Amino acid sequence: MLPWGRALRAAGLLRSAGAAAAAQCGAARRERCGPGPGKRRGTKLPAGPDLRHFLRGAAKREPPPEPEPGPVPSSGRVYLETYGCQMNVNDTEIAWAILQKSGYTRTKQLDEADVILLVTCSIREKAEQAIWNRLRHLSALKARRQQQAGSPLRIGILGCMAERLKEEILHREKLVDIVAGPDAYRDLPRLLAVAESGQQAANVLLSLDETYADILPVQTSAGGTTAFVSIMRGCDNMCSYCIVPFTRGRERSRPIASILQEVRMLSDQVLQLIQERHNICKQLHLPAQSGSTRVLEAMRRGYTREAYLELVHHVRDSIPGVSLSSDFIAGFCGETEEDHQQTVSLLQDVRYNVGFLFAYSMREKTRAFHRLQDDVPAEVKQRRLQELITVFREEAARANEAMVGQCQLVLVEGPSKRSALELCGRNDGNIKVIFPDAEVEDAAGCQAPARAQPGDYVLVKVTSASSQTLRGVPLRRTTLSRSAAGH
Ligand code: 5AD
């Protein structure tokens, strides 16, 4: 059994020829809030469950249950707004699938909405502050709407912040009509029905087994080239700084049959047949949080700096060319300058391609809140954060520069944001690649030269690199299987 199973089992980007279906398998949950590089005490990892264990367990499970009949269909227009991590993007799709089934329509215009739902994040104070501001703004809109047109507007708050601050949102601030925690989305039609009668309605019960396995999320960007497939919910790791176990509840995995069904459906949404499966993207998210063993211990991460580095080497040996991303927290309780320098040196040693860096923000309920002192002054946290960002960028630029001159297989996503004359796509390490939108030959030579479309694969020769992006020239259009065969 691979000792690294826990860390590796969730990351990875499925790429699928012709698929509007590169599916980020489970990364949604793990990527932002997961345990990171395996639970370790000292330098020895306990042999946790690995993928095979997970598959064996899944084979014994029942298929996903038939959905229960929904309540009487309703006919409001719903506006959904998403904050925070990929898990929340997935939650938005689940909530919308449930509402659509019970008769609601979706609008992208705030002015047209009968119901406004915010899918919220509690991970840091800053995230919550943005949502409080938005709620105050929406509440003023609601009052104006009532005065001017006499038409009621319902506002709901979903997800982590709903779970964490139910009382405050409903009673003290009286800003919303509906509050639904992450395990209560099936109840949304009922909650909305209650709200229609003019009462506030809430459900923040956490569940031990809700995975929404039978609900196929409705993808927000129809025709997109990528999709997130959630394979689990909740978290049991109890890292000392983290609110997630309190807002999303216990860890539970979705039955594998329902994951497969969703991936199949996503890949059926495009037109080409998938011949072969060279479709696992070489990208892993290994959230380190700190480079100091002392701080990692205070965080209760369960591994040392050395164990983390060992994992990185193991991953790099096993998957040559793998692209790595990570999360870091600057200024955790008790962090000294020396600890901080250890994080700087970890960033230099590992040389990540993508990084998410944050200043520590104390969260009530967590172990750090009860037991540790938030003793790094705000300006020191900010200064350390800036230093980490600078070092991360320098290293990422170096890592990306090493790709100049190479040919990369790029999955085209669409026009680049900056210029209509350029296309944007992702390479096998999920790094953004920009190249001119010109006519390109077909690798098989049986089609006339044409401009690449979203979902196409193009071989691109990399000509320059920055810390975030590669630039290049397109050589030819191809397919995953042809490219894997070396053509
Ligand atoms: N303060 C700062 N950053 C945090 N994260 C989680 N909780 C906190 C907190 N209290 C960061 C971690 C995690 C990512 C999702 O958010 O780096 O991996």
Side-chain angles (χ1 to χ4, degrees):
M1 192 180 283
L2 281 174
W4 317 107
R6 282 193 81 154
L8 297 182
R9 75 175 186 216
L13 192 72
L14 295 181
R15 303 189 352 144
S16 143
Q24 180 124 14
C25 194
R29 184 70 192 80
R30 278 294 186 208
E31 184 182 72
R32 315 302 305 133
C33 323
K39 279 288 186 185
R40 269 197 153 194
R41 298 269 164 230
T43 53
K44 198 151 176 25
L45 271 180
D50 72 355
L51 187 60
R52 279 168 292 172
H53 172 103
F54 179 63
L55 292 172
R56 267 202 306 275
K60 288 189 216 119
R61 291 197 195 179
E62 295 291 311
E66 280 297 307
E68 284 175 21
V72 184
S74 182
S75 60
R77 279 161 302 187
V78 183
Y79 177 89
L80 284 147
E81 202 164 275
T82 315
Y83 293 80
C85 64
Q86 263 70 10
M87 198 64 200
N88 279 1
V89 175
N90 190 256
D91 274 20
T92 307
E93 290 164 1
I94 288 170
W96 170 232
I98 290 165
L99 289 172
Q100 190 180 37
K101 212 161 186 189
S102 84
Y104 286 89
T105 51
R106 176 110 180 237
T107 176
K108 293 202 164 145
Q109 306 297 326
L110 193 68
D111 302 343
E112 280 181 12
D114 303 303
V115 179
I116 299 174
L117 299 178
L118 308 187
V119 183
T120 61
C121 171
S122 269
I123 196 95
R124 288 173 296 276
E125 199 180 338
K126 218 166 149 189
E128 281 187 358
Q129 206 46 56
I131 295 161
W132 278 120
N133 293 342
R134 184 65 171 152
L135 274 181
R136 294 199 179 100
H137 173 85
L138 292 175
S139 179
L141 179 80
K142 176 176 168 167
R144 269 205 311 280
R145 174 91 69 89
Q146 186 71 45
Q147 252 176 10
Q148 286 166 3
S151 57
L153 171 66
R154 307 286 171 216
I155 300 176
I157 188 152
L158 274 49
C160 293
M161 199 169 152
E163 193 67 47
R164 197 177 96 78
L165 297 174
K166 174 196 149 191
E167 290 295 324
E168 205 168 334
I169 298 167
L170 275 181
H171 301 132
R172 189 159 70 82
E173 300 267 350
K174 295 200 171 53
L175 291 175
V176 304
D177 306 283
I178 301 155
V179 171
D183 289 340
Y185 301 145
R186 285 180 204 271
D187 204 18
L188 277 173
R190 186 190 67 84
L191 295 173
L192 279 167
V194 173
E196 257 171 54
S197 71
Q199 296 172 53
Q200 287 182 314
N203 182 345
V204 289
L205 287 179
L206 284 174
S207 152
L208 286 177
D209 54 9
E210 177 63 276
T211 57
Y212 299 108
D214 57 303
I215 294 178
L216 286 180
V218 180
Q219 254 191 277
T220 7
S221 59
T225 51
T226 60
F228 287 98
V229 178
S230 166
I231 62 169
M232 55 171 298
R233 297 179 72 83
C235 185
D236 282 354
N237 287 296
M238 291 285 173
C239 298
S240 61
Y241 51 80
C242 191
I243 191 71
V244 165
F246 304 97
T247 57
R248 287 195 163 268
R250 302 302 300 261
E251 184 172 308
R252 56 223 111 113
S253 289
R254 199 173 144 188
I256 208 144
S258 92
I259 300 173
L260 284 177
Q261 188 195 1
E262 187 178 335
V263 172
R264 226 168 258 136
M265 187 211 65
L266 286 166
S267 76
D268 284 350
Q269 279 174 2
V270 288
L271 299 170
Q272 280 173 265
L273 199 67
I274 302 166
Q275 298 281 356
E276 292 190 38
R277 302 178 193 192
H278 305 285
N279 59 348
I280 310 285
C281 215
K282 291 196 188 80
Q283 196 247 335
L284 284 174
H285 190 71
L286 301 177
Q289 313 299 359
S290 169
S292 152
T293 296
R294 218 180 57 79
V295 174
L296 288 170
E297 203 175 329
M299 288 177 165
R300 290 165 60 96
R301 292 293 287 171
Y303 54 88
T304 59
R305 176 195 173 91
E306 292 70 31
Y308 181 87
L309 279 169
E310 207 182 296
L311 171 61
V312 168
H313 293 142
H314 178 74
V315 166
R316 287 213 159 121
D317 286 346
S318 314
I319 318 172
V322 67
S323 131
L324 296 181
S325 56
S326 193
D327 293 350
F328 285 94
I329 299 176
F332 186 63
C333 308
E335 187 191 74
T336 62
E337 279 307 318
E338 202 189 320
D339 293 321
H340 169 62
Q341 285 310 322
Q342 294 260 311
T343 303
V344 169
S345 87
L346 187 74
L347 283 167
Q348 288 165 334
D349 287 357
V350 176
R351 192 171 281 177
Y352 298 97
N353 301 84
V354 177
F356 301 92
L357 300 106
F358 314 101
Y360 174 58
S361 125
M362 192 165 67
R363 313 270 63 207
E364 273 177 42
K365 285 197 183 171
T366 60
R367 191 180 165 91
F369 173 81
H370 289 295
R371 306 267 177 93
L372 305 177
Q373 286 276 321
D374 183 15
D375 53 1
V376 179
E379 61 281 6
V380 176
K381 280 182 191 164
Q382 282 308 319
R383 195 250 305 149
R384 289 182 188 169
L385 177 62
Q386 287 312 317
E387 284 174 14
L388 296 185
I389 292 173
T390 306
V391 173
F392 158 71
R393 286 207 178 127
E394 285 167 6
E395 296 300 330
R398 282 197 192 117
N400 289 346
E401 270 156 25
M403 286 182 241
V404 173
Q406 292 177 2
C407 285
Q408 299 269 330
L409 182 66
V410 175
L411 173 61
V412 178
E413 290 190 334
S416 117
K417 276 194 201 125
R418 298 239 174 108
S419 159
L421 303 175
E422 292 180 315
L423 288 174
C424 175
R426 304 254 168 193
N427 75 358
D428 201 22
N430 202 29
I431 298 166
K432 217 183 240 182
V433 185
I434 312 279
F435 58 94
D437 184 4
E439 286 196 341
V440 227
E441 275 180 34
D442 176 54
C446 41
Q447 284 173 31
R451 286 162 63 189
Q453 301 300 315
D456 283 353
Y457 285 94
V458 176
L459 258 181
V460 174
K461 178 153 189 183
V462 180
T463 51
S464 67
S466 71
S467 64
Q468 311 216 357
T469 342
L470 303 174
R471 287 184 164 272
V473 286
L475 301 180
R476 51 187 180 273
R477 284 177 295 132
T478 184
T479 60
L480 267 182
S481 46
R482 219 181 283 140
S483 155
H487 303 303

